[in-house]
Amino acid sequence: DPTSLSNALAATLSPDPTARAGAEAHLRAAEASARGYGAALLSLARTPACPVSQSAALLLKGLVLRRWSEEDERHFVGPEVE
């Protein structure tokens, strides 16, 4: 959900360490669920008026490098096979 991701990304910029920790946990859980996470990040990153578009773009870049790029095998996480 782009709205909850946007709120979590905004909270990662908070000076309150508790708010940041909660937001980071939310983002990790969202990535682990993989239900539209990449698409939601792309949507936020492509909206220049969105105050967290740069944060979304950086997370999307990291997601792509971890999930679809075998160039850096130290961090590569292959697809899950069920």
Coordinates of all heavy atoms in Angstrom, one line a residue:
D1 N 0.8 -1.2 0.0 CA 0.0 0.0 0.0 C 0.9 1.2 0.0 O 1.7 1.5 0.9 CB -0.9 -0.1 1.2 CG -1.6 1.2 1.5 OD1 -2.0 1.9 0.6 OD2 -1.9 1.5 2.7
P2 N 0.8 2.0 -1.1 CA 1.7 3.2 -1.2 C 1.5 4.2 0.0 O 2.5 4.8 0.4 CB 1.3 3.9 -2.5 CG 0.7 2.7 -3.3 CD 0.1 1.8 -2.3
T3 N 0.3 4.3 0.5 CA 0.1 5.3 1.6 C 0.8 4.9 2.9 O 1.5 5.7 3.5 CB -1.4 5.5 1.9 OG1 -2.1 5.9 0.7 CG2 -1.7 6.5 3.0
S4 N 0.7 3.6 3.2 CA 1.4 3.2 4.5 C 2.9 3.2 4.3 O 3.7 3.5 5.2 CB 0.9 1.8 4.9 OG 1.4 0.8 4.0
L5 N 3.4 2.9 3.0 CA 4.8 3.0 2.8 C 5.3 4.4 2.9 O 6.4 4.7 3.4 CB 5.2 2.4 1.4 CG 5.2 0.9 1.4 CD1 5.6 0.4 -0.1 CD2 6.2 0.3 2.3
S6 N 4.5 5.3 2.3 CA 4.9 6.8 2.4 C 4.9 7.2 3.8 O 5.9 8.0 4.2 CB 3.8 7.6 1.6 OG 4.1 9.0 1.6
N7 N 4.0 6.8 4.6 CA 4.0 7.2 6.0 C 5.2 6.7 6.7 O 5.8 7.3 7.5 CB 2.7 6.8 6.7 CG 1.5 7.5 6.2 OD1 1.6 8.6 5.7 ND2 0.3 6.9 6.4
A8 N 5.5 5.4 6.4 CA 6.7 4.8 7.1 C 8.0 5.4 6.6 O 8.9 5.7 7.4 CB 6.7 3.3 6.7
L9 N 8.1 5.8 5.3 CA 9.3 6.5 4.9 C 9.4 7.8 5.5 O 10.5 8.2 5.9 CB 9.2 6.6 3.3 CG 9.5 5.3 2.5 CD1 9.1 5.6 1.1 CD2 10.9 4.9 2.7
A10 N 8.3 8.5 5.7 CA 8.4 9.8 6.4 C 8.8 9.7 7.8 O 9.6 10.5 8.3 CB 7.0 10.5 6.3
A11 N 8.3 8.6 8.5 CA 8.7 8.4 9.9 C 10.2 8.0 10.0 O 10.7 8.2 11.1 CB 7.8 7.3 10.4
T12 N 10.8 7.5 9.0 CA 12.2 7.1 9.1 C 13.1 8.4 9.2 O 14.2 8.4 9.6 CB 12.7 6.3 7.9 OG1 12.6 7.1 6.7 CG2 12.0 5.0 7.8
L13 N 12.5 9.6 8.8 CA 13.2 10.8 8.9 C 13.0 11.6 10.2 O 13.5 12.6 10.4 CB 12.8 11.7 7.7 CG 13.0 11.1 6.3 CD1 12.4 12.0 5.3 CD2 14.4 10.9 6.1
S14 N 12.2 10.9 11.1 CA 11.8 11.5 12.4 C 13.0 11.6 13.3 O 13.8 10.7 13.3 CB 10.7 10.7 13.0 OG 10.5 11.1 14.4
P15 N 13.1 12.7 14.1 CA 14.2 12.7 15.1 C 13.9 11.7 16.3 O 14.9 11.5 17.0 CB 14.2 14.2 15.6 CG 12.8 14.7 15.2 CD 12.3 13.9 14.1
D16 N 12.7 11.2 16.4 CA 12.4 10.3 17.5 C 12.9 8.9 17.1 O 12.4 8.3 16.2 CB 10.9 10.3 17.7 CG 10.4 9.3 18.8 OD1 11.2 8.9 19.6 OD2 9.2 9.0 18.7
P17 N 13.8 8.3 17.9 CA 14.4 7.0 17.6 C 13.3 5.9 17.6 O 13.4 4.9 16.9 CB 15.4 6.8 18.6 CG 15.3 7.8 19.6 CD 14.4 8.9 19.1
T18 N 12.3 6.0 18.5 CA 11.2 5.0 18.6 C 10.4 5.0 17.3 O 10.1 4.0 16.8 CB 10.3 5.3 19.8 OG1 11.2 5.3 21.0 CG2 9.3 4.2 19.9
A19 N 10.1 6.2 16.8 CA 9.3 6.3 15.5 C 10.1 5.7 14.4 O 9.6 5.0 13.5 CB 9.0 7.8 15.3
R20 N 11.4 6.1 14.3 CA 12.3 5.6 13.3 C 12.4 4.0 13.3 O 12.3 3.4 12.3 CB 13.7 6.1 13.4 CG 13.8 7.5 12.8 CD 15.3 7.9 12.6 NE 16.2 7.6 13.7 CZ 16.5 8.3 14.7 NH1 15.9 9.5 14.8 NH2 17.3 7.9 15.6
A21 N 12.6 3.5 14.5 CA 12.7 2.0 14.6 C 11.4 1.3 14.2 O 11.4 0.3 13.5 CB 13.0 1.6 16.1
G22 N 10.3 1.9 14.6 CA 9.0 1.3 14.1 C 8.8 1.4 12.6 O 8.3 0.4 12.0
A23 N 9.2 2.5 12.0 CA 9.1 2.7 10.6 C 10.0 1.7 9.9 O 9.6 1.1 8.8 CB 9.4 4.1 10.2
E24 N 11.2 1.5 10.4 CA 12.1 0.6 9.7 C 11.6 -0.8 9.8 O 11.8 -1.6 8.9 CB 13.5 0.8 10.4 CG 14.2 2.1 10.0 CD 15.4 2.4 10.9 OE1 15.7 1.6 11.8 OE2 16.0 3.5 10.7
A25 N 11.0 -1.2 10.9 CA 10.4 -2.5 11.1 C 9.3 -2.7 10.1 O 9.2 -3.8 9.5 CB 10.0 -2.7 12.5
H26 N 8.5 -1.7 9.9 CA 7.4 -1.7 9.0 C 7.9 -1.9 7.6 O 7.3 -2.8 6.8 CB 6.5 -0.5 9.1 CG 5.4 -0.4 8.1 ND1 4.2 -1.1 8.3 CD2 5.3 0.2 6.9 CE1 3.4 -0.9 7.2 NE2 4.1 -0.1 6.4
L27 N 8.9 -1.2 7.2 CA 9.5 -1.4 5.8 C 10.1 -2.7 5.6 O 9.9 -3.3 4.6 CB 10.6 -0.3 5.6 CG 10.0 1.2 5.5 CD1 11.1 2.2 5.5 CD2 9.1 1.3 4.3
R28 N 10.8 -3.3 6.7 CA 11.3 -4.7 6.5 C 10.2 -5.7 6.4 O 10.3 -6.6 5.5 CB 12.2 -5.0 7.7 CG 13.6 -4.4 7.7 CD 14.5 -5.0 8.8 NE 14.0 -4.7 10.1 CZ 14.2 -3.6 10.9 NH1 14.9 -2.7 10.4 NH2 13.7 -3.5 12.1
A29 N 9.1 -5.5 7.1 CA 8.0 -6.4 7.0 C 7.3 -6.3 5.6 O 6.9 -7.3 5.0 CB 7.0 -6.2 8.1
A30 N 7.2 -5.1 5.1 CA 6.6 -4.9 3.8 C 7.4 -5.5 2.7 O 6.9 -6.2 1.8 CB 6.4 -3.4 3.6
E31 N 8.8 -5.4 2.8 CA 9.6 -6.1 1.8 C 9.5 -7.6 1.9 O 9.5 -8.3 0.9 CB 11.1 -5.6 2.0 CG 12.0 -6.3 0.9 CD 13.4 -5.8 1.0 OE1 13.8 -4.9 1.8 OE2 14.2 -6.4 0.3
A32 N 9.5 -8.1 3.1 CA 9.4 -9.5 3.3 C 8.1 -10.1 2.8 O 8.1 -11.2 2.3 CB 9.6 -9.9 4.8
S33 N 7.0 -9.4 2.9 CA 5.7 -9.9 2.4 C 5.7 -9.9 0.9 O 5.0 -10.7 0.3 CB 4.6 -9.0 2.9 OG 4.5 -7.8 2.3
A34 N 6.5 -9.0 0.2 CA 6.6 -8.9 -1.2 C 5.3 -8.7 -1.9 O 5.2 -9.0 -3.1 CB 7.4 -10.1 -1.8
R35 N 4.3 -8.3 -1.3 CA 2.9 -8.1 -1.9 C 2.8 -6.7 -2.4 O 2.3 -5.8 -1.8 CB 1.8 -8.4 -1.0 CG 1.8 -9.8 -0.5 CD 0.7 -10.1 0.5 NE 0.8 -11.3 1.2 CZ 0.5 -12.5 0.7 NH1 -0.1 -12.6 -0.4 NH2 0.6 -13.5 1.5
G36 N 3.3 -6.4 -3.6 CA 3.3 -5.1 -4.2 C 4.3 -4.1 -3.7 O 4.1 -2.9 -4.0
Y37 N 5.2 -4.6 -2.9 CA 6.2 -3.7 -2.3 C 7.0 -2.9 -3.4 O 7.1 -1.7 -3.3 CB 7.1 -4.5 -1.4 CG 8.2 -3.7 -0.8 CD1 8.0 -2.8 0.3 CD2 9.6 -3.8 -1.2 CE1 9.0 -2.1 0.9 CE2 10.6 -3.1 -0.5 CZ 10.3 -2.2 0.5 OH 11.3 -1.5 1.1
G38 N 7.5 -3.6 -4.4 CA 8.3 -2.9 -5.4 C 7.5 -2.0 -6.2 O 7.9 -0.9 -6.5
A39 N 6.2 -2.4 -6.6 CA 5.3 -1.5 -7.3 C 5.0 -0.2 -6.5 O 4.9 0.9 -7.1 CB 4.1 -2.3 -7.7
A40 N 4.8 -0.4 -5.2 CA 4.4 0.7 -4.4 C 5.6 1.7 -4.3 O 5.4 2.9 -4.4 CB 4.0 0.3 -3.0
L41 N 6.8 1.1 -4.2 CA 8.0 2.0 -4.1 C 8.2 2.7 -5.5 O 8.5 3.9 -5.5 CB 9.3 1.2 -3.8 CG 9.4 0.7 -2.4 CD1 10.7 -0.2 -2.3 CD2 9.5 1.8 -1.4
L42 N 8.0 2.0 -6.6 CA 8.1 2.6 -7.9 C 7.1 3.8 -8.0 O 7.4 4.9 -8.5 CB 7.9 1.6 -9.0 CG 8.0 2.1 -10.4 CD1 9.3 2.7 -10.7 CD2 7.7 1.0 -11.4
S43 N 5.9 3.6 -7.6 CA 4.8 4.6 -7.6 C 5.3 5.8 -6.8 O 5.1 7.0 -7.3 CB 3.5 4.0 -7.1 OG 2.6 5.1 -7.0
L44 N 5.8 5.6 -5.6 CA 6.2 6.8 -4.8 C 7.4 7.5 -5.4 O 7.5 8.7 -5.4 CB 6.6 6.3 -3.4 CG 5.4 5.8 -2.6 CD1 5.9 5.2 -1.3 CD2 4.4 7.0 -2.3
A45 N 8.4 6.7 -6.0 CA 9.6 7.2 -6.5 C 9.3 8.1 -7.8 O 10.0 9.0 -8.1 CB 10.6 6.1 -6.9
R46 N 8.3 7.7 -8.5 CA 7.9 8.4 -9.8 C 7.1 9.6 -9.6 O 6.7 10.2 -10.5 CB 7.3 7.4 -10.7 CG 8.2 6.3 -11.2 CD 7.5 5.4 -12.1 NE 7.1 6.1 -13.3 CZ 6.5 5.6 -14.4 NH1 6.2 4.3 -14.3 NH2 6.2 6.3 -15.4
T47 N 6.7 9.9 -8.3 CA 5.9 11.1 -8.0 C 6.8 12.2 -7.4 O 7.0 12.2 -6.2 CB 4.8 10.7 -7.0 OG1 4.1 9.5 -7.6 CG2 3.8 11.8 -6.9
P48 N 7.2 13.1 -8.2 CA 8.1 14.1 -7.7 C 7.5 15.0 -6.6 O 8.3 15.4 -5.7 CB 8.4 15.0 -9.0 CG 8.0 14.3 -10.1 CD 7.0 13.3 -9.7
A49 N 6.2 15.1 -6.6 CA 5.6 15.9 -5.5 C 5.6 15.2 -4.2 O 5.3 15.8 -3.2 CB 4.2 16.3 -5.9
C50 N 5.8 13.9 -4.2 CA 5.8 13.1 -3.0 C 7.1 13.5 -2.2 O 8.2 13.4 -2.7 CB 5.9 11.6 -3.4 SG 5.9 10.5 -2.0
P51 N 6.9 13.8 -0.9 CA 8.0 14.3 -0.1 C 9.0 13.2 0.2 O 10.2 13.5 0.5 CB 7.4 14.8 1.2 CG 6.0 14.2 1.2 CD 5.6 13.9 -0.2
V52 N 8.7 11.9 0.0 CA 9.6 10.8 0.2 C 10.0 10.1 -1.0 O 10.5 9.0 -1.0 CB 9.0 9.8 1.3 CG1 8.9 10.5 2.6 CG2 7.7 9.3 0.8
S53 N 9.9 10.8 -2.2 CA 10.2 10.1 -3.5 C 11.6 9.6 -3.5 O 11.9 8.6 -4.1 CB 9.8 11.0 -4.6 OG 10.6 12.1 -4.7
Q54 N 12.6 10.4 -3.0 CA 14.0 10.0 -3.1 C 14.2 8.8 -2.2 O 15.0 7.9 -2.5 CB 14.9 11.2 -2.7 CG 14.9 12.3 -3.7 CD 15.9 13.4 -3.3 OE1 16.2 13.6 -2.2 NE2 16.3 14.2 -4.3
S55 N 13.6 8.8 -1.0 CA 13.8 7.6 -0.1 C 13.2 6.4 -0.8 O 13.8 5.3 -0.7 CB 13.0 7.9 1.2 OG 13.6 9.0 1.9
A56 N 12.1 6.5 -1.4 CA 11.5 5.4 -2.1 C 12.4 4.9 -3.2 O 12.5 3.7 -3.4 CB 10.1 5.8 -2.7
A57 N 13.0 5.8 -4.0 CA 13.9 5.5 -5.1 C 15.1 4.7 -4.6 O 15.5 3.7 -5.2 CB 14.3 6.7 -5.8
L58 N 15.6 5.1 -3.4 CA 16.8 4.4 -2.9 C 16.4 3.0 -2.4 O 17.2 2.1 -2.6 CB 17.4 5.2 -1.7 CG 18.1 6.5 -2.1 CD1 18.4 7.3 -0.9 CD2 19.3 6.2 -2.9
L59 N 15.2 2.9 -1.8 CA 14.8 1.6 -1.3 C 14.6 0.7 -2.5 O 14.9 -0.5 -2.5 CB 13.5 1.6 -0.5 CG 13.8 2.1 1.0 CD1 12.4 2.2 1.7 CD2 14.6 1.1 1.7
L60 N 14.0 1.2 -3.6 CA 13.7 0.4 -4.8 C 15.0 0.0 -5.4 O 15.2 -1.2 -5.9 CB 12.9 1.3 -5.8 CG 12.5 0.6 -7.1 CD1 11.7 -0.7 -6.8 CD2 11.8 1.5 -8.0
K61 N 16.0 0.9 -5.5 CA 17.3 0.5 -6.0 C 17.9 -0.7 -5.2 O 18.4 -1.6 -5.8 CB 18.3 1.7 -6.0 CG 19.7 1.3 -6.5 CD 20.6 2.5 -6.3 CE 22.0 2.1 -6.7 NZ 23.0 3.2 -6.5
G62 N 17.9 -0.6 -3.9 CA 18.4 -1.7 -3.0 C 17.6 -3.0 -3.3 O 18.2 -4.0 -3.3
L63 N 16.3 -2.9 -3.4 CA 15.5 -4.1 -3.7 C 15.9 -4.7 -5.0 O 16.1 -5.9 -5.0 CB 14.0 -3.7 -3.7 CG 13.0 -4.8 -4.0 CD1 13.0 -5.8 -2.9 CD2 11.6 -4.2 -4.3
V64 N 16.1 -3.9 -6.0 CA 16.4 -4.5 -7.3 C 17.8 -5.1 -7.2 O 18.0 -6.2 -7.8 CB 16.4 -3.4 -8.4 CG1 17.1 -3.8 -9.7 CG2 15.0 -2.9 -8.7
L65 N 18.8 -4.5 -6.6 CA 20.1 -5.1 -6.5 C 20.1 -6.4 -5.7 O 20.8 -7.3 -6.0 CB 21.0 -4.1 -5.8 CG 21.4 -2.9 -6.6 CD1 22.3 -1.9 -5.8 CD2 22.2 -3.3 -7.9
R66 N 19.2 -6.4 -4.6 CA 19.2 -7.7 -3.8 C 18.4 -8.8 -4.5 O 18.8 -9.9 -4.4 CB 18.5 -7.4 -2.5 CG 19.4 -6.7 -1.5 CD 18.8 -6.7 -0.1 NE 17.5 -6.1 -0.1 CZ 17.2 -4.7 -0.1 NH1 18.2 -3.9 -0.1 NH2 16.0 -4.3 0.0
R67 N 17.4 -8.4 -5.3 CA 16.5 -9.5 -5.8 C 16.8 -9.8 -7.3 O 16.4 -10.9 -7.7 CB 15.0 -9.0 -5.7 CG 14.6 -8.8 -4.3 CD 14.5 -10.1 -3.5 NE 14.1 -9.8 -2.1 CZ 13.6 -10.7 -1.3 NH1 13.4 -11.9 -1.7 NH2 13.3 -10.3 -0.1
W68 N 17.3 -8.9 -8.1 CA 17.4 -9.2 -9.5 C 18.8 -9.0 -10.1 O 19.0 -9.0 -11.3 CB 16.4 -8.3 -10.3 CG 15.0 -8.8 -10.0 CD1 14.4 -9.9 -10.5 CD2 14.0 -8.1 -9.2 NE1 13.1 -9.9 -10.0 CE2 12.9 -8.9 -9.3 CE3 14.1 -6.9 -8.5 CZ2 11.7 -8.5 -8.6 CZ3 12.9 -6.5 -7.8 CH2 11.8 -7.3 -7.9
S69 N 19.8 -8.8 -9.3 CA 21.1 -8.6 -9.8 C 22.1 -9.5 -9.1 O 22.3 -9.5 -7.9 CB 21.6 -7.1 -9.5 OG 22.9 -7.0 -9.9
E70 N 22.7 -10.4 -10.0 CA 23.7 -11.3 -9.4 C 25.1 -10.8 -9.5 O 26.0 -11.5 -9.1 CB 23.6 -12.6 -10.2 CG 22.3 -13.3 -10.0 CD 22.3 -14.7 -10.8 OE1 23.3 -15.3 -10.9 OE2 21.2 -15.0 -11.2
E71 N 25.3 -9.5 -9.9 CA 26.6 -8.9 -9.9 C 27.3 -8.9 -8.6 O 28.5 -9.1 -8.5 CB 26.5 -7.5 -10.5 CG 26.1 -7.5 -12.0 CD 26.1 -6.1 -12.6 OE1 26.6 -5.2 -11.9 OE2 25.5 -6.0 -13.7
D72 N 26.5 -8.6 -7.6 CA 27.1 -8.5 -6.2 C 26.5 -9.7 -5.4 O 25.5 -9.5 -4.7 CB 26.8 -7.2 -5.5 CG 27.5 -7.0 -4.2 OD1 28.2 -8.0 -3.8 OD2 27.3 -6.0 -3.6
E73 N 27.1 -10.8 -5.5 CA 26.6 -12.0 -4.9 C 26.6 -12.0 -3.4 O 25.9 -12.8 -2.8 CB 27.4 -13.3 -5.4 CG 27.1 -13.5 -6.9 CD 27.8 -14.8 -7.4 OE1 28.2 -15.6 -6.6 OE2 27.9 -14.9 -8.6
R74 N 27.4 -11.1 -2.8 CA 27.4 -11.0 -1.4 C 26.0 -10.6 -0.8 O 25.7 -11.0 0.3 CB 28.4 -10.0 -0.9 CG 29.9 -10.4 -1.2 CD 30.8 -9.2 -0.9 NE 30.5 -8.1 -1.8 CZ 30.7 -6.8 -1.5 NH1 31.2 -6.5 -0.4 NH2 30.3 -5.9 -2.3
H75 N 25.3 -9.9 -1.5 CA 24.0 -9.4 -1.0 C 22.8 -9.9 -1.8 O 21.7 -9.6 -1.5 CB 23.9 -7.8 -1.1 CG 25.0 -7.2 -0.3 ND1 25.1 -7.2 1.0 CD2 26.1 -6.5 -0.7 CE1 26.2 -6.6 1.4 NE2 26.8 -6.2 0.4
F76 N 23.1 -10.8 -2.8 CA 22.0 -11.3 -3.7 C 21.1 -12.2 -2.9 O 21.6 -13.2 -2.3 CB 22.6 -11.9 -4.9 CG 21.6 -12.5 -5.9 CD1 20.7 -11.6 -6.6 CD2 21.4 -13.9 -6.0 CE1 19.8 -12.2 -7.4 CE2 20.5 -14.4 -6.9 CZ 19.7 -13.5 -7.6
V77 N 19.8 -12.0 -3.0 CA 18.8 -12.9 -2.4 C 18.0 -13.5 -3.6 O 17.2 -12.7 -4.2 CB 17.9 -12.2 -1.4 CG1 16.9 -13.2 -0.9 CG2 18.7 -11.6 -0.3
G78 N 18.2 -14.7 -4.0 CA 17.5 -15.3 -5.1 C 16.0 -15.4 -4.8 O 15.5 -15.3 -3.7
P79 N 15.3 -15.8 -5.9 CA 13.8 -15.9 -5.7 C 13.5 -17.1 -4.8 O 14.3 -18.1 -4.8 CB 13.3 -16.2 -7.1 CG 14.5 -16.6 -7.9 CD 15.7 -16.0 -7.2
E80 N 12.4 -17.0 -4.1 CA 12.0 -18.1 -3.2 C 11.3 -19.2 -4.0 O 10.4 -18.8 -4.8 CB 11.1 -17.6 -2.1 CG 11.8 -16.7 -1.1 CD 10.9 -16.2 0.0 OE1 9.9 -16.8 0.2 OE2 11.3 -15.2 0.6
V81 N 11.6 -20.4 -3.8 CA 11.0 -21.5 -4.5 C 10.1 -22.2 -3.6 O 10.5 -22.6 -2.5 CB 12.1 -22.4 -5.1 CG1 11.4 -23.6 -5.8 CG2 13.0 -21.7 -6.1
E82 N 8.8 -22.3 -3.9 CA 7.9 -23.0 -3.0 C 7.7 -24.4 -3.5 O 7.8 -24.8 -4.5 CB 6.6 -22.3 -3.0 CG 6.7 -20.9 -2.4 CD 5.4 -20.1 -2.4 OE1 4.4 -20.8 -2.6 OE2 5.5 -18.9 -2.1

